[in-house]
Amino acid sequence: MSNLALYLLNRARSNPANPAITGNGQTTSFAELGDRMLRLASAMRNRLGLACGDRVLICMENQPEFFEL
């Protein structure tokens, strides 16, 4: 596995119903997380023109949405 995103997407394929993230009083399955990750990546490519390998700075509070990014 070369990075966290690939690991999470592989888990979404192999164990979609398993919980991936628990926080803020809710649980997100690997399937939901994988879907959110792919939609966000698509939006960043289409709207921002980012390409695979581009670097993005993330500045946010410690929260479950970090894994989507």
Side-chain angles (χ1 to χ4, degrees):
M1 205 58 42
S2 62
N3 63 40
L4 179 60
L6 290 177
Y7 171 79
L8 293 173
L9 289 172
N10 282 334
R11 288 293 304 258
R13 288 184 196 106
S14 64
N15 302 82
N18 286 3
I21 302 170
T22 301
N24 295 337
Q26 56 188 0
T27 299
T28 302
S29 71
F30 277 105
E32 293 169 319
L33 179 60
D35 180 59
R36 290 179 188 176
M37 290 170 57
L38 292 174
R39 285 188 291 134
L40 180 58
S42 177
M44 291 192 317
R45 278 191 303 270
N46 296 331
R47 294 182 187 169
L48 302 176
L50 294 176
C52 185
D54 287 350
R55 294 178 185 215
V56 177
L57 174 68
I58 301 170
C59 183
M60 62 188 291
E61 297 288 327
N62 188 12
Q63 52 194 329
E65 291 80 8
F66 170 81
F67 292 98
E68 294 174 26
L69 295 168

